[in-house]
Amino acid sequence: MTEVLHPRPNPIVAAMYTLRDLEAEVVVMHGPAGCGFMASRRLEEAGVRVVTTGMREGDLIFGAEEKLVRVLAQVEQEFHPRLVGIVGTCASMIIGENLDSAIKKAGLKAKVLAVDTHGCAGPNTSGAIRTLEVAAQQGVISQEEYLRQKEMLTRATLIEADRGLTSRRYLEPHPGATKLSVALEIVRALRQGKRVSVTLNAKKETAFGFADVMRAVEYARSRVGGETLHLGNLSTEIGLPRIRRYAREIQRDLKEADVELALITGGLDEYPVAGERAARFLERERADLRIFAGLPHAVPGITPEDILVTDQPRELRNYIDRGFAKSVGEINTHAMVMSAHGILKNELGETIRQIVDGGMA
């Protein structure tokens, strides 16, 4: 087992994001004020109110249950939510706080999902699985949906350990290849009449950022010629309502840009298995140049000749060190997509458009 040294997401943050996907209006962090701070900022951009019990030193000795009861009562009085999530932290775990006891004392009208997790609980996906388990117990999702999502998250954990961010001891951030070099190759291939495939294999909201590559490649084809092949994990029938809404909005924008999907490989929460379906499809369909956007390493059979597009600098290092020299980074993707309701233009897409419009290739 690889001992991983570089920073990576933890179960607390995964639990917070999963509560957002379950449409929780308020997430209560039961811990110190700064716990989950960066994730909180992004989730509030997505319309989720994140509050904290703001534990102090004395709470670690005497407990903070009464503080949690007061915060829950304030949440109901000020926000009138239908669904509230409580996320445990390392601090609440250490002192053994009883979240369920606090919920009973608060006497809320809202349904409350108490997720007793912490930063030492294992892979970040364990926080998501625990949240979904509680949601199933409370009747927010079905047992069948819980088991499906648990399988996806378990597979995702295995992929990361096999060839992703937890497969190596330390990954130094890397900016990736230049967009210009990659965009020039794409436009030249189309101008030469070649077939260019774009595979979207993205995780949930990040698809708003990566799908622009499809639009840009189709725009280039309409101007310089060639042939395109688009496929992606954009099913509108799979996943929680918020995730299916993402897929509908992206498909709407792709249709407006004349992008036709040759294959829908799965849902936006299915990138571990959608990548396998994409790989089988591409084995049958010829493409002279292949582009993979989102989490390319989840697609089996990618080669050093392929163009990979992702958003994490450490993932870019992982790709480039493994010989995928044509890996480019859309580093700001996650910060941009949290409040999105449609595809956002990205740097690679804009570079492709500028090359086409400027006659540079």
Side-chain angles (χ1 to χ4, degrees), residues 202-221:
K203 182 179 179 181
K204 299 182 179 179
E205 66 274 9
T206 62
F208 284 123
F210 293 119
D212 189 47
V213 179
M214 290 176 159
R215 296 194 305 186
V217 169
E218 194 58 35
Y219 177 81
R221 185 208 59 76

Side-chain angles (χ1 to χ4, degrees), residues 3-197:
E3 184 179 4
V4 183
L5 301 179
H6 55 257
R8 52 202 184 278
N10 72 26
I12 297 171
V13 173
M16 296 170 71
Y17 271 79
T18 305
L19 285 167
R20 175 208 59 177
D21 294 345
L22 291 164
E23 305 285 17
E25 292 111 317
V26 182
V27 173
V28 179
M29 298 294 296
H30 190 37
C35 192
F37 176 65
M38 292 304 294
S40 300
R41 289 174 61 176
R42 288 188 174 175
L43 287 170
E44 290 196 305
E45 291 173 7
V48 180
R49 298 179 190 276
V50 183
V51 302
T52 175
T53 53
M55 281 186 183
R56 306 291 293 271
E57 288 179 342
D59 297 323
L60 300 179
I61 299 170
F62 301 108
E65 183 177 315
E66 292 305 318
K67 185 174 283 186
L68 177 57
V69 172
R70 290 198 300 275
V71 169
L72 287 172
Q74 289 173 357
V75 162
E76 180 142 282
Q77 181 178 359
E78 294 191 24
F79 305 129
H80 311 292
R82 292 176 296 101
L83 184 63
V84 175
I86 304 174
V87 178
T89 63
C90 301
S92 63
M93 179 272 292
I94 289 170
I95 62 176
E97 287 282 80
N98 188 332
L99 303 182
D100 291 327
S101 173
I103 293 169
K104 290 178 181 176
K105 289 182 179 179
L108 303 186
K109 297 178 182 176
K111 187 181 286 290
V112 183
L113 304 180
V115 186
D116 199 357
T117 188
H118 52 84
C120 308
N124 65 312
T125 47
S126 68
I129 291 172
R130 177 59 185 150
T131 305
L132 293 162
E133 182 181 21
V134 173
Q137 292 168 351
Q138 294 278 337
V140 176
I141 62 173
S142 67
Q143 183 70 8
E144 181 182 20
E145 177 65 11
Y146 161 61
L147 293 175
R148 185 190 71 81
Q149 298 221 22
K150 181 180 179 182
E151 181 185 359
M152 292 302 111
L153 291 161
T154 302
R155 288 193 178 208
T157 303
L158 293 174
I159 288 174
E160 291 306 314
D162 180 53
R163 50 190 187 273
L165 287 175
T166 56
S167 64
R168 300 176 62 189
R169 183 182 298 272
Y170 181 75
L171 288 166
E172 183 179 4
H174 192 289
T178 67
K179 275 80 173 181
L180 179 61
S181 63
V182 169
L184 281 169
E185 182 172 349
I186 294 168
V187 178
R188 284 170 179 160
L190 290 170
R191 192 180 293 281
Q192 293 167 5
K194 295 182 178 178
R195 192 184 205 195
V196 176
S197 69

Side-chain angles (χ1 to χ4, degrees), residues 278-300:
R280 289 194 292 272
F281 182 78
L282 291 171
E283 282 181 0
R284 300 192 300 270
E285 294 288 333
R286 176 189 62 82
D288 301 296
L289 181 63
R290 307 192 307 176
I291 306 168
F292 297 90
L295 292 165
H297 62 283
V299 184

Side-chain angles (χ1 to χ4, degrees), residues 254-287:
L254 290 177
K255 186 176 181 180
E256 290 178 358
D258 295 325
V259 174
E260 293 186 11
L261 292 169
L263 177 69
I264 293 176
T265 55
L268 280 170
D269 60 4
E270 288 193 319
Y271 72 88
V273 295
E276 295 173 358
R277 293 167 187 149
R280 289 194 292 272
F281 182 78
L282 291 171
E283 282 181 0
R284 300 192 300 270
E285 294 288 333
R286 176 189 62 82

Side-chain angles (χ1 to χ4, degrees), residues 187-352:
V187 178
R188 284 170 179 160
L190 290 170
R191 192 180 293 281
Q192 293 167 5
K194 295 182 178 178
R195 192 184 205 195
V196 176
S197 69
V198 185
T199 300
L200 179 73
N201 195 50
K203 182 179 179 181
K204 299 182 179 179
E205 66 274 9
T206 62
F208 284 123
F210 293 119
D212 189 47
V213 179
M214 290 176 159
R215 296 194 305 186
V217 169
E218 194 58 35
Y219 177 81
R221 185 208 59 76
S222 70
R223 298 300 191 275
V224 304
E227 187 180 349
T228 55
L229 179 69
H230 300 282
L231 55 154
N233 57 327
L234 290 169
S235 172
T236 60
E237 306 298 325
I238 297 173
L240 300 176
R242 174 182 282 263
I243 305 306
R244 284 183 267 139
R245 187 258 290 172
Y246 293 167
R248 285 195 300 273
E249 292 171 340
I250 292 170
Q251 284 210 36
R252 175 202 62 204
D253 290 355
L254 290 177
K255 186 176 181 180
E256 290 178 358
D258 295 325
V259 174
E260 293 186 11
L261 292 169
L263 177 69
I264 293 176
T265 55
L268 280 170
D269 60 4
E270 288 193 319
Y271 72 88
V273 295
E276 295 173 358
R277 293 167 187 149
R280 289 194 292 272
F281 182 78
L282 291 171
E283 282 181 0
R284 300 192 300 270
E285 294 288 333
R286 176 189 62 82
D288 301 296
L289 181 63
R290 307 192 307 176
I291 306 168
F292 297 90
L295 292 165
H297 62 283
V299 184
I302 55 175
T303 75
E305 299 305 314
D306 296 326
I307 293 171
L308 311 185
V309 188
T310 194
D311 63 335
Q312 299 186 44
R314 294 186 195 279
E315 201 71 86
L316 288 164
R317 167 68 67 183
N318 185 33
Y319 294 164
I320 287 173
D321 285 358
R322 291 174 185 267
F324 299 98
K326 294 184 285 187
S327 298
V328 298
E330 296 291 344
I331 307 300
N332 294 323
T333 298
H334 215 163
M336 296 169 57
V337 299
M338 294 303 289
S339 59
H341 285 276
I343 298 174
L344 305 175
K345 288 186 176 180
N346 62 27
E347 292 182 2
L348 178 58
E350 285 293 81
T351 307
I352 291 171

